[in-house]
Amino acid sequence: MTELTVPALSLVVLVGISGSGKSTFAQRNFAPSQVLSSDAFRAMVADDENDQSASAAAFDALHYVAGRRLAGGRLTVIDATNVQDHARAGLVALARAHDVLPVAIVLDLPEEECWARTERRPDRSFGRGVLGRQSRDLRRSIKRLSREGFRTVHVLHGLEEIEAATIRPQR
Ligand code: GTP
Ligand code: MG
């Protein structure tokens, strides 16, 4: 078991390609109400968690709710790929605006493993190329996280590290 220290009031940003296990990790380590998932917000605004054309509206709503939670002093977890710089920049800014520490938890699972999982999932239908792009973005992202303003960066490599990780809130 590996304990990942996370400030009790923080904005936890999960980072990982599709199929890396972000939603599973969030479900295992946090209360459902603490987790804001981009899929859930796409479903809320467009009735379809896979509707990528709804992303702008979904993230707008997600940021709004995250801001209201942080204003209330509530730990909040962002369950989205967050492999793109601009997505993370918006979240770091949101955390700063509420005087809350942004924390990144990276789930770094081999692309092949994620693809094998994706192919088994009835709820995902994107092509292999999408994952390749996300992987390239992820590699670049990992090097940048500290410089981007994340005060704590935890990188979990591979299934064993991901499955062994637990969260320890720090007061
Ligand atoms: P997106 O929402 O598409 O970005 O994917 P995600 O990162 O949220 O992945 P998700 O948690 O949905 O996991 C995808 C699949 O991988 C799940 O349906 C599980 O079958 C499997 N999986 C996820 N996490 C674990 C894990 O820790 N252990 C094992 N054995 N399987 C896992
Ligand atoms: Mg997910």
mmCIF file with all atom_site columns, all heavy atoms in Angstrom, residues 14-42:
data_model
loop_
_atom_site.group_PDB
_atom_site.id
_atom_site.type_symbol
_atom_site.label_atom_id
_atom_site.label_alt_id
_atom_site.label_comp_id
_atom_site.label_asym_id
_atom_site.label_entity_id
_atom_site.label_seq_id
_atom_site.pdbx_PDB_ins_code
_atom_site.Cartn_x
_atom_site.Cartn_y
_atom_site.Cartn_z
_atom_site.occupancy
_atom_site.B_iso_or_equiv
_atom_site.pdbx_formal_charge
_atom_site.auth_seq_id
_atom_site.auth_comp_id
_atom_site.auth_asym_id
_atom_site.auth_atom_id
_atom_site.pdbx_PDB_model_num
ATOM 1   N N   . LEU A 1 14 ? -7.008  14.495 -11.663 1.00 0.00 ? 14 LEU A N   1
ATOM 2   C CA  . LEU A 1 14 ? -6.534  13.213 -12.179 1.00 0.00 ? 14 LEU A CA  1
ATOM 3   C C   . LEU A 1 14 ? -6.043  13.436 -13.609 1.00 0.00 ? 14 LEU A C   1
ATOM 4   O O   . LEU A 1 14 ? -6.650  14.200 -14.363 1.00 0.00 ? 14 LEU A O   1
ATOM 5   C CB  . LEU A 1 14 ? -7.655  12.172 -12.155 1.00 0.00 ? 14 LEU A CB  1
ATOM 6   C CG  . LEU A 1 14 ? -8.252  11.885 -10.778 1.00 0.00 ? 14 LEU A CG  1
ATOM 7   C CD1 . LEU A 1 14 ? -9.341  10.805 -10.887 1.00 0.00 ? 14 LEU A CD1 1
ATOM 8   C CD2 . LEU A 1 14 ? -7.177  11.441 -9.792  1.00 0.00 ? 14 LEU A CD2 1
ATOM 9   N N   . VAL A 1 15 ? -4.949  12.790 -13.959 1.00 0.00 ? 15 VAL A N   1
ATOM 10  C CA  . VAL A 1 15 ? -4.365  12.949 -15.288 1.00 0.00 ? 15 VAL A CA  1
ATOM 11  C C   . VAL A 1 15 ? -4.082  11.554 -15.848 1.00 0.00 ? 15 VAL A C   1
ATOM 12  O O   . VAL A 1 15 ? -3.375  10.765 -15.216 1.00 0.00 ? 15 VAL A O   1
ATOM 13  C CB  . VAL A 1 15 ? -3.034  13.753 -15.225 1.00 0.00 ? 15 VAL A CB  1
ATOM 14  C CG1 . VAL A 1 15 ? -2.447  13.933 -16.625 1.00 0.00 ? 15 VAL A CG1 1
ATOM 15  C CG2 . VAL A 1 15 ? -3.240  15.108 -14.549 1.00 0.00 ? 15 VAL A CG2 1
ATOM 16  N N   . GLY A 1 16 ? -4.659  11.243 -17.001 1.00 0.00 ? 16 GLY A N   1
ATOM 17  C CA  . GLY A 1 16 ? -4.403  9.924  -17.591 1.00 0.00 ? 16 GLY A CA  1
ATOM 18  C C   . GLY A 1 16 ? -5.218  9.737  -18.852 1.00 0.00 ? 16 GLY A C   1
ATOM 19  O O   . GLY A 1 16 ? -6.299  10.319 -18.991 1.00 0.00 ? 16 GLY A O   1
ATOM 20  N N   . ILE A 1 17 ? -4.709  8.917  -19.754 1.00 0.00 ? 17 ILE A N   1
ATOM 21  C CA  . ILE A 1 17 ? -5.413  8.696  -21.013 1.00 0.00 ? 17 ILE A CA  1
ATOM 22  C C   . ILE A 1 17 ? -6.673  7.869  -20.763 1.00 0.00 ? 17 ILE A C   1
ATOM 23  O O   . ILE A 1 17 ? -6.850  7.296  -19.678 1.00 0.00 ? 17 ILE A O   1
ATOM 24  C CB  . ILE A 1 17 ? -4.501  8.024  -22.064 1.00 0.00 ? 17 ILE A CB  1
ATOM 25  C CG1 . ILE A 1 17 ? -4.152  6.591  -21.683 1.00 0.00 ? 17 ILE A CG1 1
ATOM 26  C CG2 . ILE A 1 17 ? -3.213  8.841  -22.246 1.00 0.00 ? 17 ILE A CG2 1
ATOM 27  C CD1 . ILE A 1 17 ? -3.353  5.859  -22.767 1.00 0.00 ? 17 ILE A CD1 1
ATOM 28  N N   . SER A 1 18 ? -7.526  7.810  -21.750 1.00 0.00 ? 18 SER A N   1
ATOM 29  C CA  . SER A 1 18 ? -8.772  7.070  -21.610 1.00 0.00 ? 18 SER A CA  1
ATOM 30  C C   . SER A 1 18 ? -8.459  5.596  -21.331 1.00 0.00 ? 18 SER A C   1
ATOM 31  O O   . SER A 1 18 ? -7.589  5.010  -21.972 1.00 0.00 ? 18 SER A O   1
ATOM 32  C CB  . SER A 1 18 ? -9.598  7.211  -22.892 1.00 0.00 ? 18 SER A CB  1
ATOM 33  O OG  . SER A 1 18 ? -10.865 6.640  -22.694 1.00 0.00 ? 18 SER A OG  1
ATOM 34  N N   . GLY A 1 19 ? -9.124  5.036  -20.364 1.00 0.00 ? 19 GLY A N   1
ATOM 35  C CA  . GLY A 1 19 ? -8.907  3.638  -20.014 1.00 0.00 ? 19 GLY A CA  1
ATOM 36  C C   . GLY A 1 19 ? -7.808  3.411  -18.990 1.00 0.00 ? 19 GLY A C   1
ATOM 37  O O   . GLY A 1 19 ? -7.538  2.282  -18.594 1.00 0.00 ? 19 GLY A O   1
ATOM 38  N N   . SER A 1 20 ? -7.182  4.493  -18.536 1.00 0.00 ? 20 SER A N   1
ATOM 39  C CA  . SER A 1 20 ? -6.093  4.326  -17.560 1.00 0.00 ? 20 SER A CA  1
ATOM 40  C C   . SER A 1 20 ? -6.622  4.041  -16.157 1.00 0.00 ? 20 SER A C   1
ATOM 41  O O   . SER A 1 20 ? -5.859  3.647  -15.267 1.00 0.00 ? 20 SER A O   1
ATOM 42  C CB  . SER A 1 20 ? -5.180  5.568  -17.551 1.00 0.00 ? 20 SER A CB  1
ATOM 43  O OG  . SER A 1 20 ? -5.915  6.730  -17.238 1.00 0.00 ? 20 SER A OG  1
ATOM 44  N N   . GLY A 1 21 ? -7.920  4.251  -15.964 1.00 0.00 ? 21 GLY A N   1
ATOM 45  C CA  . GLY A 1 21 ? -8.511  3.885  -14.674 1.00 0.00 ? 21 GLY A CA  1
ATOM 46  C C   . GLY A 1 21 ? -8.840  5.057  -13.763 1.00 0.00 ? 21 GLY A C   1
ATOM 47  O O   . GLY A 1 21 ? -9.011  4.878  -12.559 1.00 0.00 ? 21 GLY A O   1
ATOM 48  N N   . LYS A 1 22 ? -8.982  6.240  -14.341 1.00 0.00 ? 22 LYS A N   1
ATOM 49  C CA  . LYS A 1 22 ? -9.256  7.434  -13.520 1.00 0.00 ? 22 LYS A CA  1
ATOM 50  C C   . LYS A 1 22 ? -10.562 7.307  -12.745 1.00 0.00 ? 22 LYS A C   1
ATOM 51  O O   . LYS A 1 22 ? -10.604 7.551  -11.535 1.00 0.00 ? 22 LYS A O   1
ATOM 52  C CB  . LYS A 1 22 ? -9.311  8.700  -14.411 1.00 0.00 ? 22 LYS A CB  1
ATOM 53  C CG  . LYS A 1 22 ? -8.029  8.961  -15.177 1.00 0.00 ? 22 LYS A CG  1
ATOM 54  C CD  . LYS A 1 22 ? -8.173  10.165 -16.078 1.00 0.00 ? 22 LYS A CD  1
ATOM 55  C CE  . LYS A 1 22 ? -9.220  9.981  -17.152 1.00 0.00 ? 22 LYS A CE  1
ATOM 56  N NZ  . LYS A 1 22 ? -8.905  8.940  -18.152 1.00 0.00 ? 22 LYS A NZ  1
ATOM 57  N N   . SER A 1 23 ? -11.632 6.936  -13.450 1.00 0.00 ? 23 SER A N   1
ATOM 58  C CA  . SER A 1 23 ? -12.938 6.870  -12.780 1.00 0.00 ? 23 SER A CA  1
ATOM 59  C C   . SER A 1 23 ? -12.949 5.782  -11.715 1.00 0.00 ? 23 SER A C   1
ATOM 60  O O   . SER A 1 23 ? -13.533 5.957  -10.638 1.00 0.00 ? 23 SER A O   1
ATOM 61  C CB  . SER A 1 23 ? -14.050 6.620  -13.813 1.00 0.00 ? 23 SER A CB  1
ATOM 62  O OG  . SER A 1 23 ? -14.071 7.652  -14.767 1.00 0.00 ? 23 SER A OG  1
ATOM 63  N N   . THR A 1 24 ? -12.282 4.673  -12.009 1.00 0.00 ? 24 THR A N   1
ATOM 64  C CA  . THR A 1 24 ? -12.191 3.574  -11.048 1.00 0.00 ? 24 THR A CA  1
ATOM 65  C C   . THR A 1 24 ? -11.407 4.014  -9.814  1.00 0.00 ? 24 THR A C   1
ATOM 66  O O   . THR A 1 24 ? -11.805 3.756  -8.676  1.00 0.00 ? 24 THR A O   1
ATOM 67  C CB  . THR A 1 24 ? -11.498 2.356  -11.710 1.00 0.00 ? 24 THR A CB  1
ATOM 68  O OG1 . THR A 1 24 ? -12.197 2.045  -12.923 1.00 0.00 ? 24 THR A OG1 1
ATOM 69  C CG2 . THR A 1 24 ? -11.491 1.156  -10.788 1.00 0.00 ? 24 THR A CG2 1
ATOM 70  N N   . PHE A 1 25 ? -10.298 4.699  -10.049 1.00 0.00 ? 25 PHE A N   1
ATOM 71  C CA  . PHE A 1 25 ? -9.450  5.206  -8.959  1.00 0.00 ? 25 PHE A CA  1
ATOM 72  C C   . PHE A 1 25 ? -10.228 6.205  -8.101  1.00 0.00 ? 25 PHE A C   1
ATOM 73  O O   . PHE A 1 25 ? -10.187 6.151  -6.870  1.00 0.00 ? 25 PHE A O   1
ATOM 74  C CB  . PHE A 1 25 ? -8.212  5.877  -9.571  1.00 0.00 ? 25 PHE A CB  1
ATOM 75  C CG  . PHE A 1 25 ? -7.242  6.410  -8.563  1.00 0.00 ? 25 PHE A CG  1
ATOM 76  C CD1 . PHE A 1 25 ? -6.244  5.589  -8.047  1.00 0.00 ? 25 PHE A CD1 1
ATOM 77  C CD2 . PHE A 1 25 ? -7.310  7.725  -8.138  1.00 0.00 ? 25 PHE A CD2 1
ATOM 78  C CE1 . PHE A 1 25 ? -5.334  6.079  -7.114  1.00 0.00 ? 25 PHE A CE1 1
ATOM 79  C CE2 . PHE A 1 25 ? -6.408  8.222  -7.207  1.00 0.00 ? 25 PHE A CE2 1
ATOM 80  C CZ  . PHE A 1 25 ? -5.423  7.401  -6.697  1.00 0.00 ? 25 PHE A CZ  1
ATOM 81  N N   . ALA A 1 26 ? -10.956 7.092  -8.761  1.00 0.00 ? 26 ALA A N   1
ATOM 82  C CA  . ALA A 1 26 ? -11.726 8.116  -8.044  1.00 0.00 ? 26 ALA A CA  1
ATOM 83  C C   . ALA A 1 26 ? -12.791 7.456  -7.178  1.00 0.00 ? 26 ALA A C   1
ATOM 84  O O   . ALA A 1 26 ? -13.000 7.821  -6.014  1.00 0.00 ? 26 ALA A O   1
ATOM 85  C CB  . ALA A 1 26 ? -12.362 9.086  -9.039  1.00 0.00 ? 26 ALA A CB  1
ATOM 86  N N   . GLN A 1 27 ? -13.445 6.466  -7.739  1.00 0.00 ? 27 GLN A N   1
ATOM 87  C CA  . GLN A 1 27 ? -14.517 5.773  -7.025  1.00 0.00 ? 27 GLN A CA  1
ATOM 88  C C   . GLN A 1 27 ? -13.976 5.036  -5.800  1.00 0.00 ? 27 GLN A C   1
ATOM 89  O O   . GLN A 1 27 ? -14.619 4.984  -4.762  1.00 0.00 ? 27 GLN A O   1
ATOM 90  C CB  . GLN A 1 27 ? -15.171 4.781  -7.986  1.00 0.00 ? 27 GLN A CB  1
ATOM 91  C CG  . GLN A 1 27 ? -16.500 4.266  -7.515  1.00 0.00 ? 27 GLN A CG  1
ATOM 92  C CD  . GLN A 1 27 ? -17.048 3.220  -8.467  1.00 0.00 ? 27 GLN A CD  1
ATOM 93  O OE1 . GLN A 1 27 ? -16.317 2.657  -9.284  1.00 0.00 ? 27 GLN A OE1 1
ATOM 94  N NE2 . GLN A 1 27 ? -18.329 2.954  -8.366  1.00 0.00 ? 27 GLN A NE2 1
ATOM 95  N N   . ARG A 1 28 ? -12.780 4.499  -5.944  1.00 0.00 ? 28 ARG A N   1
ATOM 96  C CA  . ARG A 1 28 ? -12.181 3.720  -4.857  1.00 0.00 ? 28 ARG A CA  1
ATOM 97  C C   . ARG A 1 28 ? -11.664 4.631  -3.738  1.00 0.00 ? 28 ARG A C   1
ATOM 98  O O   . ARG A 1 28 ? -11.635 4.248  -2.574  1.00 0.00 ? 28 ARG A O   1
ATOM 99  C CB  . ARG A 1 28 ? -11.021 2.889  -5.421  1.00 0.00 ? 28 ARG A CB  1
ATOM 100 C CG  . ARG A 1 28 ? -10.382 1.936  -4.423  1.00 0.00 ? 28 ARG A CG  1
ATOM 101 C CD  . ARG A 1 28 ? -9.572  0.862  -5.130  1.00 0.00 ? 28 ARG A CD  1
ATOM 102 N NE  . ARG A 1 28 ? -8.485  1.376  -5.948  1.00 0.00 ? 28 ARG A NE  1
ATOM 103 C CZ  . ARG A 1 28 ? -7.328  1.797  -5.468  1.00 0.00 ? 28 ARG A CZ  1
ATOM 104 N NH1 . ARG A 1 28 ? -7.109  1.811  -4.169  1.00 0.00 ? 28 ARG A NH1 1
ATOM 105 N NH2 . ARG A 1 28 ? -6.391  2.233  -6.285  1.00 0.00 ? 28 ARG A NH2 1
ATOM 106 N N   . ASN A 1 29 ? -11.226 5.822  -4.082  1.00 0.00 ? 29 ASN A N   1
ATOM 107 C CA  . ASN A 1 29 ? -10.514 6.657  -3.104  1.00 0.00 ? 29 ASN A CA  1
ATOM 108 C C   . ASN A 1 29 ? -11.263 7.875  -2.595  1.00 0.00 ? 29 ASN A C   1
ATOM 109 O O   . ASN A 1 29 ? -10.806 8.515  -1.648  1.00 0.00 ? 29 ASN A O   1
ATOM 110 C CB  . ASN A 1 29 ? -9.181  7.108  -3.695  1.00 0.00 ? 29 ASN A CB  1
ATOM 111 C CG  . ASN A 1 29 ? -8.193  5.970  -3.817  1.00 0.00 ? 29 ASN A CG  1
ATOM 112 O OD1 . ASN A 1 29 ? -7.745  5.437  -2.807  1.00 0.00 ? 29 ASN A OD1 1
ATOM 113 N ND2 . ASN A 1 29 ? -7.880  5.579  -5.039  1.00 0.00 ? 29 ASN A ND2 1
ATOM 114 N N   . PHE A 1 30 ? -12.376 8.220  -3.205  1.00 0.00 ? 30 PHE A N   1
ATOM 115 C CA  . PHE A 1 30 ? -13.094 9.433  -2.811  1.00 0.00 ? 30 PHE A CA  1
ATOM 116 C C   . PHE A 1 30 ? -14.588 9.164  -2.735  1.00 0.00 ? 30 PHE A C   1
ATOM 117 O O   . PHE A 1 30 ? -15.087 8.201  -3.317  1.00 0.00 ? 30 PHE A O   1
ATOM 118 C CB  . PHE A 1 30 ? -12.817 10.561 -3.825  1.00 0.00 ? 30 PHE A CB  1
ATOM 119 C CG  . PHE A 1 30 ? -11.371 10.959 -3.917  1.00 0.00 ? 30 PHE A CG  1
ATOM 120 C CD1 . PHE A 1 30 ? -10.556 10.431 -4.907  1.00 0.00 ? 30 PHE A CD1 1
ATOM 121 C CD2 . PHE A 1 30 ? -10.814 11.835 -2.991  1.00 0.00 ? 30 PHE A CD2 1
ATOM 122 C CE1 . PHE A 1 30 ? -9.209  10.773 -4.992  1.00 0.00 ? 30 PHE A CE1 1
ATOM 123 C CE2 . PHE A 1 30 ? -9.464  12.194 -3.068  1.00 0.00 ? 30 PHE A CE2 1
ATOM 124 C CZ  . PHE A 1 30 ? -8.670  11.666 -4.069  1.00 0.00 ? 30 PHE A CZ  1
ATOM 125 N N   . ALA A 1 31 ? -15.277 10.063 -2.041  1.00 0.00 ? 31 ALA A N   1
ATOM 126 C CA  . ALA A 1 31 ? -16.734 9.950  -1.979  1.00 0.00 ? 31 ALA A CA  1
ATOM 127 C C   . ALA A 1 31 ? -17.312 10.382 -3.335  1.00 0.00 ? 31 ALA A C   1
ATOM 128 O O   . ALA A 1 31 ? -16.755 11.265 -3.984  1.00 0.00 ? 31 ALA A O   1
ATOM 129 C CB  . ALA A 1 31 ? -17.270 10.852 -0.881  1.00 0.00 ? 31 ALA A CB  1
ATOM 130 N N   . PRO A 1 32 ? -18.425 9.775  -3.731  1.00 0.00 ? 32 PRO A N   1
ATOM 131 C CA  . PRO A 1 32 ? -19.009 10.102 -5.041  1.00 0.00 ? 32 PRO A CA  1
ATOM 132 C C   . PRO A 1 32 ? -19.240 11.606 -5.223  1.00 0.00 ? 32 PRO A C   1
ATOM 133 O O   . PRO A 1 32 ? -19.026 12.140 -6.313  1.00 0.00 ? 32 PRO A O   1
ATOM 134 C CB  . PRO A 1 32 ? -20.336 9.343  -5.053  1.00 0.00 ? 32 PRO A CB  1
ATOM 135 C CG  . PRO A 1 32 ? -20.162 8.239  -4.062  1.00 0.00 ? 32 PRO A CG  1
ATOM 136 C CD  . PRO A 1 32 ? -19.189 8.728  -3.027  1.00 0.00 ? 32 PRO A CD  1
ATOM 137 N N   . SER A 1 33 ? -19.668 12.276 -4.151  1.00 0.00 ? 33 SER A N   1
ATOM 138 C CA  . SER A 1 33 ? -19.989 13.701 -4.283  1.00 0.00 ? 33 SER A CA  1
ATOM 139 C C   . SER A 1 33 ? -18.736 14.569 -4.441  1.00 0.00 ? 33 SER A C   1
ATOM 140 O O   . SER A 1 33 ? -18.828 15.727 -4.844  1.00 0.00 ? 33 SER A O   1
ATOM 141 C CB  . SER A 1 33 ? -20.793 14.170 -3.070  1.00 0.00 ? 33 SER A CB  1
ATOM 142 O OG  . SER A 1 33 ? -20.073 13.901 -1.890  1.00 0.00 ? 33 SER A OG  1
ATOM 143 N N   . GLN A 1 34 ? -17.565 14.016 -4.153  1.00 0.00 ? 34 GLN A N   1
ATOM 144 C CA  . GLN A 1 34 ? -16.325 14.798 -4.304  1.00 0.00 ? 34 GLN A CA  1
ATOM 145 C C   . GLN A 1 34 ? -15.810 14.774 -5.739  1.00 0.00 ? 34 GLN A C   1
ATOM 146 O O   . GLN A 1 34 ? -14.951 15.566 -6.110  1.00 0.00 ? 34 GLN A O   1
ATOM 147 C CB  . GLN A 1 34 ? -15.223 14.234 -3.387  1.00 0.00 ? 34 GLN A CB  1
ATOM 148 C CG  . GLN A 1 34 ? -15.507 14.410 -1.903  1.00 0.00 ? 34 GLN A CG  1
ATOM 149 C CD  . GLN A 1 34 ? -14.422 13.796 -1.042  1.00 0.00 ? 34 GLN A CD  1
ATOM 150 O OE1 . GLN A 1 34 ? -13.993 12.666 -1.282  1.00 0.00 ? 34 GLN A OE1 1
ATOM 151 N NE2 . GLN A 1 34 ? -13.970 14.531 -0.047  1.00 0.00 ? 34 GLN A NE2 1
ATOM 152 N N   . VAL A 1 35 ? -16.333 13.850 -6.530  1.00 0.00 ? 35 VAL A N   1
ATOM 153 C CA  . VAL A 1 35 ? -15.762 13.607 -7.861  1.00 0.00 ? 35 VAL A CA  1
ATOM 154 C C   . VAL A 1 35 ? -16.610 14.254 -8.950  1.00 0.00 ? 35 VAL A C   1
ATOM 155 O O   . VAL A 1 35 ? -17.795 13.950 -9.101  1.00 0.00 ? 35 VAL A O   1
ATOM 156 C CB  . VAL A 1 35 ? -15.658 12.082 -8.128  1.00 0.00 ? 35 VAL A CB  1
ATOM 157 C CG1 . VAL A 1 35 ? -15.045 11.834 -9.507  1.00 0.00 ? 35 VAL A CG1 1
ATOM 158 C CG2 . VAL A 1 35 ? -14.843 11.402 -7.035  1.00 0.00 ? 35 VAL A CG2 1
ATOM 159 N N   . LEU A 1 36 ? -16.005 15.162 -9.702  1.00 0.00 ? 36 LEU A N   1
ATOM 160 C CA  . LEU A 1 36 ? -16.681 15.779 -10.848 1.00 0.00 ? 36 LEU A CA  1
ATOM 161 C C   . LEU A 1 36 ? -16.080 15.179 -12.103 1.00 0.00 ? 36 LEU A C   1
ATOM 162 O O   . LEU A 1 36 ? -14.892 15.359 -12.394 1.00 0.00 ? 36 LEU A O   1
ATOM 163 C CB  . LEU A 1 36 ? -16.498 17.296 -10.821 1.00 0.00 ? 36 LEU A CB  1
ATOM 164 C CG  . LEU A 1 36 ? -16.930 17.999 -9.532  1.00 0.00 ? 36 LEU A CG  1
ATOM 165 C CD1 . LEU A 1 36 ? -16.753 19.507 -9.663  1.00 0.00 ? 36 LEU A CD1 1
ATOM 166 C CD2 . LEU A 1 36 ? -18.375 17.662 -9.176  1.00 0.00 ? 36 LEU A CD2 1
ATOM 167 N N   . SER A 1 37 ? -16.894 14.454 -12.841 1.00 0.00 ? 37 SER A N   1
ATOM 168 C CA  . SER A 1 37 ? -16.388 13.761 -14.025 1.00 0.00 ? 37 SER A CA  1
ATOM 169 C C   . SER A 1 37 ? -16.885 14.439 -15.293 1.00 0.00 ? 37 SER A C   1
ATOM 170 O O   . SER A 1 37 ? -18.055 14.821 -15.405 1.00 0.00 ? 37 SER A O   1
ATOM 171 C CB  . SER A 1 37 ? -16.817 12.287 -13.956 1.00 0.00 ? 37 SER A CB  1
ATOM 172 O OG  . SER A 1 37 ? -17.498 11.908 -15.113 1.00 0.00 ? 37 SER A OG  1
ATOM 173 N N   . SER A 1 38 ? -15.984 14.596 -16.251 1.00 0.00 ? 38 SER A N   1
ATOM 174 C CA  . SER A 1 38 ? -16.368 15.247 -17.509 1.00 0.00 ? 38 SER A CA  1
ATOM 175 C C   . SER A 1 38 ? -17.473 14.444 -18.203 1.00 0.00 ? 38 SER A C   1
ATOM 176 O O   . SER A 1 38 ? -18.378 15.019 -18.819 1.00 0.00 ? 38 SER A O   1
ATOM 177 C CB  . SER A 1 38 ? -15.154 15.409 -18.425 1.00 0.00 ? 38 SER A CB  1
ATOM 178 O OG  . SER A 1 38 ? -14.491 14.180 -18.591 1.00 0.00 ? 38 SER A OG  1
ATOM 179 N N   . ASP A 1 39 ? -17.426 13.136 -18.080 1.00 0.00 ? 39 ASP A N   1
ATOM 180 C CA  . ASP A 1 39 ? -18.485 12.303 -18.683 1.00 0.00 ? 39 ASP A CA  1
ATOM 181 C C   . ASP A 1 39 ? -19.852 12.633 -18.093 1.00 0.00 ? 39 ASP A C   1
ATOM 182 O O   . ASP A 1 39 ? -20.836 12.782 -18.818 1.00 0.00 ? 39 ASP A O   1
ATOM 183 C CB  . ASP A 1 39 ? -18.219 10.817 -18.400 1.00 0.00 ? 39 ASP A CB  1
ATOM 184 C CG  . ASP A 1 39 ? -17.153 10.254 -19.313 1.00 0.00 ? 39 ASP A CG  1
ATOM 185 O OD1 . ASP A 1 39 ? -16.825 10.914 -20.323 1.00 0.00 ? 39 ASP A OD1 1
ATOM 186 O OD2 . ASP A 1 39 ? -16.662 9.153  -19.017 1.00 0.00 ? 39 ASP A OD2 1
ATOM 187 N N   . ALA A 1 40 ? -19.890 12.729 -16.774 1.00 0.00 ? 40 ALA A N   1
ATOM 188 C CA  . ALA A 1 40 ? -21.170 13.015 -16.109 1.00 0.00 ? 40 ALA A CA  1
ATOM 189 C C   . ALA A 1 40 ? -21.686 14.384 -16.547 1.00 0.00 ? 40 ALA A C   1
ATOM 190 O O   . ALA A 1 40 ? -22.887 14.558 -16.768 1.00 0.00 ? 40 ALA A O   1
ATOM 191 C CB  . ALA A 1 40 ? -21.000 12.968 -14.596 1.00 0.00 ? 40 ALA A CB  1
ATOM 192 N N   . PHE A 1 41 ? -20.781 15.350 -16.703 1.00 0.00 ? 41 PHE A N   1
ATOM 193 C CA  . PHE A 1 41 ? -21.223 16.683 -17.116 1.00 0.00 ? 41 PHE A CA  1
ATOM 194 C C   . PHE A 1 41 ? -21.643 16.715 -18.583 1.00 0.00 ? 41 PHE A C   1
ATOM 195 O O   . PHE A 1 41 ? -22.564 17.441 -18.944 1.00 0.00 ? 41 PHE A O   1
ATOM 196 C CB  . PHE A 1 41 ? -20.155 17.736 -16.791 1.00 0.00 ? 41 PHE A CB  1
ATOM 197 C CG  . PHE A 1 41 ? -20.227 18.180 -15.357 1.00 0.00 ? 41 PHE A CG  1
ATOM 198 C CD1 . PHE A 1 41 ? -19.561 17.485 -14.367 1.00 0.00 ? 41 PHE A CD1 1
ATOM 199 C CD2 . PHE A 1 41 ? -21.019 19.263 -14.994 1.00 0.00 ? 41 PHE A CD2 1
ATOM 200 C CE1 . PHE A 1 41 ? -19.659 17.866 -13.036 1.00 0.00 ? 41 PHE A CE1 1
ATOM 201 C CE2 . PHE A 1 41 ? -21.128 19.652 -13.668 1.00 0.00 ? 41 PHE A CE2 1
ATOM 202 C CZ  . PHE A 1 41 ? -20.436 18.952 -12.685 1.00 0.00 ? 41 PHE A CZ  1
ATOM 203 N N   . ARG A 1 42 ? -20.995 15.912 -19.437 1.00 0.00 ? 42 ARG A N   1
ATOM 204 C CA  . ARG A 1 42 ? -21.469 15.814 -20.833 1.00 0.00 ? 42 ARG A CA  1
ATOM 205 C C   . ARG A 1 42 ? -22.884 15.232 -20.851 1.00 0.00 ? 42 ARG A C   1
ATOM 206 O O   . ARG A 1 42 ? -23.745 15.694 -21.589 1.00 0.00 ? 42 ARG A O   1
ATOM 207 C CB  . ARG A 1 42 ? -20.540 14.929 -21.673 1.00 0.00 ? 42 ARG A CB  1
ATOM 208 C CG  . ARG A 1 42 ? -19.329 15.644 -22.207 1.00 0.00 ? 42 ARG A CG  1
ATOM 209 C CD  . ARG A 1 42 ? -18.630 14.847 -23.293 1.00 0.00 ? 42 ARG A CD  1
ATOM 210 N NE  . ARG A 1 42 ? -17.257 15.275 -23.391 1.00 0.00 ? 42 ARG A NE  1
ATOM 211 C CZ  . ARG A 1 42 ? -16.248 14.757 -22.699 1.00 0.00 ? 42 ARG A CZ  1
ATOM 212 N NH1 . ARG A 1 42 ? -16.452 13.751 -21.879 1.00 0.00 ? 42 ARG A NH1 1
ATOM 213 N NH2 . ARG A 1 42 ? -15.046 15.237 -22.832 1.00 0.00 ? 42 ARG A NH2 1
#
